[in-house]
């Protein structure tokens, strides 16, 4: 037990030091993060209060909806916790750099395992538990159930998090026992991406918007059955939902599990999970850890295919830029954590286009040609925001992706200006292709006029040039060459600033184009005459948008070159 | 002719002077050892000379090119071997060398392929040329970095702690290569903790402490300056203790 406390001590000391010393995040940064967290939680609380209050006002099915929502929330949290634990357990139990030190000491394997399992539980659960708070507070606020509801929500959620953690850790131990840790990491990451894509597509193709239109169903029974979430009586979320609902709706007759019995079920399962894990760890944990220290895989496949791809794509560029492009493509496709995100990108495009294909335009009271073109115009803004978010992950990180090997670029004779503009061109081409695909395809689905098709295609092209330059520029101003996973780079302060800048840029372009587009569209549809002052307004607005785009391209790139030149590591 | 000139070179990190007005001029064909205790400013100086760090003040002139004014020309003359071999782990050794060669203006050509083959053989990495760098050991990565630093036949080699992670055979190989390079007229600027290496390989050494050069000369000259006969280790300890 004493050894266990010693093993937990470095983490606690590290936390204390990062909070009390200057090396950690500054006071302002912590305040901003706490402020953002509170704002998010507050927003979620208010939104859910409104939704639940609305449900309460709906007779017959209101309570069913609130009960189903609770079940869905718990089920979502539970599955997210399991996945989060799978990934975190792999790092904490097998891949952490300090593990070798721990295993050299005369501490028992079980104690090392328990300390790492505790880290895994805390790392993967704290955020979700905090996000869960406003949801349960909203239920409490709307249904006024009494203090036992809060107590039960707290301890049962804790129990659920322990069960999820135990399950995640157990699966990880078994996987590492069967495969090397590095391979397991790839498998888990790939599985999680595929699962997210599948869930995303499945959810969207179920068309949940039909639920707010009961006329789409033949009868009440069919509608009610469509509302029901899939749930098994063997799942801990079912016990918790039943127990909590009994506090919220004490007179209801839908209870199948007694509250006390549900609590016993949750906690005995949680404790059993912990005991089983320690028992399994006794047999297989060290064996898996030892395997994880083995060298990484030597053999590669698909080299010829990559040669062909990089050869074709880098041909138009001069040889120094071509070699960087070729290197970036090879690194991207050999890193499973990177290329697998293209699956998410593909799903996003499919759902984006699908959303436009199922828009019920014919049911709108507004004239259809007007609505089609208005939607196409607003779609430029939406596409701009979607592209900004994608660029946060793939373009903002382009400089940081050099990692600690950045010294090779910096010490080479290639100038930073050329390097950064090279990165810009490589990123711009796929972004423009994607942007035009989204815009042209949605315009075709909306059957817009030729004028709107040309205008939106040109606008999204020009907007893409600015969004990409902002991404490359901000990425160079806030580089993070020391990172475990390139995906984390975009979630820092630099990524946040980039998103703010890109959103403002997209918003400004849309605002500047809105007025002249309206005038030109009315001329086209209704034949309204355009006076000389209106022509001047149109010219100035488009010129303003062009100037903003030029600034968005040149300024961040210039600042990026300077910042990289001043970079001290 | 001086191949390397450092003029009042200074680097300040958050108010701390890591390198304090260092002045050095190093002739062509010399192997110059840069010694000093931990945190004395050796790596910072070398990283500034390689163009990886921007100096706070002073000038760096490499083969007559001012690094601040004509960085590309200056860097073209330099091969840099850092202390920690951070590389692109997802490239193969061969792909990495081809990548670096093109960065230094060498186009894909049969002669370049021959050059790469020779270097890989020299550093005993031929069998690993098609393997991902992530599967290399630390010493193999270090040897691969050396290949990449030599690939464009630089006039100046900047080497930070060259023997870290090398086995005795690798260390011997590197020392032989350094001797070959200097005898061919190349200039080597090398930081090292190993006084034995400095004694074996270097024609001249400088000792840096708290960012300042406290002594410079051949080992014989330094002994005379310090008025002692012992080995370089005794001399180093004496000088750095005096500096304290």
């Amino acid at each position: 037990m004493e050894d266990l406390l010693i093993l937990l001590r470095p983490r606690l000391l590290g936390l204390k030091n990062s909070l009390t010393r200057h090396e950690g995040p500054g006071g302002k940064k912590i305040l901003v993060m706490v402020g953002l967290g509170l704002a998010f939680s507050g927003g979620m609380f208010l939104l859910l209060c409104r939704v639940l209050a609305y449900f309460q006002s709906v007779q017959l099915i209101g309570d069913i909806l609130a009960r189903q929502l609770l079940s869905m929330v718990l089920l979502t949290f539970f599955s997210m916790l399991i996945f989060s634990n799978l990934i975190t357990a792999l790092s904490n139990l097998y891949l952490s750099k300090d593990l070798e030190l721990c295993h050299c000491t005369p501490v028992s394997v079980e104690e090392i395992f328990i300390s790492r399992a505790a880290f895994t539980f805390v790392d993967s659960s704290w955020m979700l538990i905090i996000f869960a708070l406003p949801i349960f507070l909203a239920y409490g606020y709307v249904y006024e159930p009494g203090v036992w509801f809060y107590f039960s929500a707290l301890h049962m959620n804790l129990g659920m998090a322990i069960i999820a953690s135990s399950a995640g850790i157990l699966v990880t131990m078994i996987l590492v026992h069967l495969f090397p840790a590095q391979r397991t990491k790839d498998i888990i990451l790939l599985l999680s991406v595929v699962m997210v894509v599948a869930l995303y597509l499945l959810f969207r193709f179920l068309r949940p918007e039909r639920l707010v239109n009961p006329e789409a169903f033949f009868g009440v029974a069919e509608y009610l059955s469509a509302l029901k979430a899939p749930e098994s009586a063997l799942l801990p979320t079912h016990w918790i939902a039943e127990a909590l609902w009994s506090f919220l709706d004490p007179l209801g007759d839908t209870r199948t599990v007694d509250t006390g019995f549900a609590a016993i079920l949750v906690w005995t399962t949680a404790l059993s999970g912990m005991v089983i894990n320690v028992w399994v760890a006794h047999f297989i944990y060290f064996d898996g850890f030892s395997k994880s220290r083995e060298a990484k895989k030597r053999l590669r496949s698909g080299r010829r295919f990559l040669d062909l791809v990089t050869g074709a794509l880098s041909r138009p560029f001069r040889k120094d830029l071509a070699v960087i492009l070729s290197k970036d493509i090879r690194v991207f496709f050999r890193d499973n954590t990177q290329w697998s995100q293209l699956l998410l990108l593909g799903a996003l495009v499919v759902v984006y286009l699908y959303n436009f294909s199922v828009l019920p335009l014919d049911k709108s009271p507004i004239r259809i040609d007007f609505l089609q073109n208005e939607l196409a115009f607003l779609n430029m803004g939406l596409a701009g925001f979607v592209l900004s978010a994608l660029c946060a992950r793939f373009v903002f990180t382009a400089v940081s992706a050099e990692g600690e090997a950045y010294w090779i670029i910096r010490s080479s004779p290639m100038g930073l200006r050329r390097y950064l503009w090279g990165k810009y061109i490589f990123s711009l081409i796929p972004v423009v292709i994607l942007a035009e695909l989204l815009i042209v395809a949605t315009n075709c689905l909306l059957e817009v006029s030729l004028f709107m098709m040309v205008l939106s295609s040109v606008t999204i092209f020009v907007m893409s040039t600015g969004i990409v330059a902002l991404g490359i520029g901000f990425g160079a101003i806030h580089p993070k060459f020391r990172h475990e996973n390139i995906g984390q780079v975009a979630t820092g302060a630099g990524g946040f600033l980039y998103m703010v800048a890109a959103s403002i840029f997209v918003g400004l372009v849309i605002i500047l184009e809105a007025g002249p587009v309206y005038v030109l569209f009315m001329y086209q549809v209704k034949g309204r005459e355009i006076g000389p002052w209106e022509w001047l307004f149109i010219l100035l607005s488009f010129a303003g948008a062009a100037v903003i785009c030029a600034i968005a391209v040149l300024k961040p790139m210039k600042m990026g070159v300077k910042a990289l030149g001043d970079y001290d590591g | 002719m001086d191949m390397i000139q450092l003029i009042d070179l200074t680097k300040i990190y958050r108010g701390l002077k890591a390198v304090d007005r260092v002045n050095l001029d190093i002739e062509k064909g010399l192997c110059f050892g840069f010694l000093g205790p931990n945190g004395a400013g050796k790596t910072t100086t070398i990283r500034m000379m390689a163009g990886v760090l921007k100096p706070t003040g002073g000038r760096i002139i490499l083969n007559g090119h001012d690094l601040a004014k004509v960085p590309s020309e200056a860097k073209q003359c330099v091969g840099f071997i850092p202390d920690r071999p951070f590389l692109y782990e997802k490239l193969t050794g061969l792909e990495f060398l081809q990548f670096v060669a093109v960065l230094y203006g060498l186009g894909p050509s049969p002669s370049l392929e021959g050059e790469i083959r020779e270097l890989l053989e020299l550093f005993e990495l031929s069998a690993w040329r098609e393997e991902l760098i992530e599967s290399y050991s630390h010493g193999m990565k270090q040897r691969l970095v050396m290949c990449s630093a030599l690939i464009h036949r630089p006039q100046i080699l900047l080497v930070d702690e060259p023997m870290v992670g090398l086995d005795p055979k690798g260390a011997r190989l590197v020392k032989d290569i350094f001797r070959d390079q200097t005898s061919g007229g190349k200039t080597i600027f090398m930081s090292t903790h190993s006084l034995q290496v400095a004694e074996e390989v270097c024609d001249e050494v400088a000792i840096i402490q708290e960012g300042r050069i406290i002594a410079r000369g051949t080992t014989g000259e330094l002994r005379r300056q310090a008025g002692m006969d012992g080995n370089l280790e005794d001399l180093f300890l004496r000088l750095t203790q005096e500096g304290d």
Side-chain angles (χ1 to χ4, degrees), chain B residues 81-232:
Chain B
I81 303 170
D83 56 343
R84 284 177 294 172
F86 289 118
L87 302 167
Y88 297 106
E89 303 271 312
K90 296 287 180 189
L91 295 188
T92 65
L94 180 64
E95 286 168 352
F96 174 70
L97 291 179
Q98 288 167 335
F99 167 72
V100 174
V102 178
L103 278 184
Y104 281 85
L106 308 173
S109 64
S111 65
L112 175 66
E113 293 305 314
E115 188 84 16
I116 289 175
R117 206 179 311 118
E118 274 176 33
L119 279 168
L120 287 169
E121 270 169 31
L122 181 65
F123 284 95
E124 297 174 355
L125 289 170
S126 294
W128 290 77
R129 53 185 262 149
E130 301 287 359
E131 302 300 337
L132 292 184
I133 294 172
E134 68 181 22
S135 65
Y136 286 23
S137 70
H138 181 88
M140 288 161 73
K141 287 180 187 172
Q142 192 71 8
R143 280 184 274 148
L144 185 66
V145 172
M146 291 185 189
C147 287
S148 74
L150 294 172
I151 205 162
H152 61 291
R153 298 175 183 272
Q155 294 297 307
I156 299 166
L157 261 184
L158 302 175
V159 194
D160 195 5
E161 299 292 353
M163 304 306 168
V164 175
L166 294 178
D167 58 18
K169 195 178 167 197
R172 167 65 68 84
L173 177 72
V174 169
K175 282 184 235 173
D176 290 344
I177 289 169
F178 285 177
R179 284 196 200 97
D180 281 353
Q181 292 287 321
T182 48
S183 62
K186 308 283 169 65
T187 308
I188 297 177
F189 185 95
M190 175 174 76
S191 85
T192 179
H193 278 112
S194 166
L195 301 174
Q196 190 195 346
V197 171
E199 252 182 329
E200 274 182 54
V201 181
C202 297
D203 303 300
E204 210 177 308
V205 296
I207 297 176
I208 183 169
Q209 190 175 26
E210 292 175 1
R212 290 182 175 203
I213 302 286
I214 57 169
R216 182 200 168 157
T218 61
T219 50
E221 285 168 351
L222 290 184
R223 279 193 197 98
R224 278 197 294 280
Q225 276 178 30
M228 59 184 290
D229 284 333
N231 59 22
L232 188 57

Side-chain angles (χ1 to χ4, degrees), chain A residues 75-143:
Chain A
L75 197 62
T76 309
F77 277 176
F78 189 60
S79 38
M80 282 170 77
L81 276 169
I82 291 178
F83 254 105
S84 163
N85 273 287
L86 269 174
I87 293 166
T88 321
L90 203 62
S91 309
N92 277 326
L93 286 162
Y94 296 100
L95 302 175
S96 269
K97 287 174 185 163
D98 58 336
L99 272 169
E100 284 187 21
L101 179 73
C102 298
H103 281 281
C104 291
T105 60
V107 177
S108 72
V109 168
E110 287 83 0
E111 279 176 310
I112 295 176
F113 169 78
I114 293 170
S115 70
R116 296 288 149 163
F119 293 163
T120 304
F121 168 73
V122 173
D123 289 348
S124 48
S125 310
W126 70 270
M127 199 182 264
L128 220 57
I129 288 178
I130 286 175
F131 279 142
L133 263 178
I135 296 174
F136 292 103
L137 286 177
Y139 269 97
Y141 181 76
V142 175
Y143 285 88

